[in-house]
Amino acid sequence: MSEIRFPLIIVNFKAYTEVEGEGALALARACAEVAGESGVSIVACPPMVELGRVASSVTLPVMAQHVDHKTPGSATGWVTAESVRRAGAIGTLVNHSEHRLGMEGIRSVVLACKRADLRTCICADSANSSGEVAIFAPDMVAVEPPELIGGDVSVTSAKPDIVIEAVRAVHQIDSSIPVLCGAGVKNGQDVKKAIELGAKGVLLASGVVKAKDQKQALRDLIRFV
Ligand code: G3P
């Protein structure tokens, strides 16, 4: 995974109005600037419709928020792993809390991604399910308790044990798979705590996307990394 280093910050743009059209490019540029000045590895996950434009405009690893398992060809309206790779993405989130796939769905998407040389970060809602999805040999697992997503309290303060246990569960399957955590992560203290708990980074959205000053929020996030 040459384009990604750990500790890693993945910024999921989701589908917020702030990242429609030019907003996605502006946030990706802010991510690239902060990554460049700090040397910290930041990945941008723009909305699918902006993926190609963002990937060709910024020097920053870009991942999709989702891909489908379909093979290229007769697949109207589906998004293939190959097309996402060709658009310039290096990887994708899989099974995000807002786009659940089920175990069979995860398995087929991860296979499609491996076929297309696309990195995978499988999201899971608990420590147990983090261990369960590790059997698919993803490049990363991100544990995110759904009830904390989009809120003001970070998983690292509200549920630190879930991070510790997710790392343990994943590493029982394969100790080389990095585990990230997310939900409510907002600042540098949250990222510092995540790393102390054994995570290799964070997956976050609203703390950056909805910040008044997105660049400042990014600088704050990485200040202890
Ligand atoms: O994908 C990141 C996510 O679900 C967490 O969202 O807004 O709590 O950082 P947020």
Side-chain angles (χ1 to χ4, degrees):
M1 219 188 298
S2 59
E3 311 91 329
I4 289 178
R5 295 180 319 281
F6 296 93
L8 175 67
I9 312 285
I10 302 184
V11 182
N12 179 6
F13 294 16
K14 298 199 174 180
Y16 287 117
T17 51
E18 285 84 347
V19 292
E20 288 169 359
E22 293 302 319
L25 205 49
L27 177 52
R29 287 193 170 122
C31 292
E33 191 178 324
V34 174
E37 70 193 19
S38 65
V40 174
S41 193
I42 301 178
V43 167
C45 297
M48 196 64 85
V49 291
E50 298 297 339
L51 187 78
R53 188 158 73 122
V54 166
S56 60
S57 309
V58 295
T59 317
L60 187 79
V62 169
M63 287 173 58
Q65 298 176 12
H66 167 81
V67 302
D68 296 308
H69 69 282
K70 296 281 187 180
T71 48
S74 307
T76 305
W78 297 85
V79 177
T80 64
E82 284 79 358
S83 67
V84 162
R85 185 75 177 118
R86 192 62 72 95
I90 60 149
T92 183
L93 303 180
V94 179
N95 191 48
H96 189 273
S97 189
E98 293 145 16
H99 206 139
R100 286 287 186 229
L101 299 174
M103 289 299 271
E104 180 49 33
I106 296 171
R107 191 190 65 80
S108 57
V109 166
V110 171
L111 277 178
C113 290
K114 289 184 190 294
R115 189 182 66 216
D117 192 26
L118 213 53
R119 307 291 181 261
T120 50
C121 174
I122 306 184
C123 301
D125 62 1
S126 67
N128 273 353
S129 56
S130 298
E132 284 165 15
V133 300
I135 62 166
F136 299 121
D139 294 281
M140 295 165 259
V141 171
V143 62
E144 298 195 311
E147 67 279 12
L148 297 174
I149 290 179
D152 288 325
V153 185
S154 169
V155 59
T156 54
S157 0
K159 295 198 165 176
D161 288 353
I162 205 175
V163 181
I164 296 170
E165 285 161 20
V167 172
R168 191 176 301 138
V170 169
H171 288 178
Q172 266 170 9
I173 304 295
D174 181 344
S175 61
S176 72
I177 300 176
V179 178
L180 311 182
C181 66
V185 172
K186 292 279 185 293
N187 56 42
Q189 284 293 349
D190 299 337
V191 175
K192 184 170 181 270
K193 185 76 187 294
I195 291 164
E196 286 167 4
L197 294 169
K200 292 289 185 194
V202 297
L203 169 60
L204 85 161
S206 53
V208 168
V209 178
K210 300 194 78 66
K212 276 199 184 72
D213 183 338
Q214 295 173 331
K215 208 181 291 178
Q216 195 44 48
L218 285 161
R219 287 192 177 118
D220 180 49
L221 262 185
I222 53 99
R223 81 194 142 109
F224 300 119
V225 176

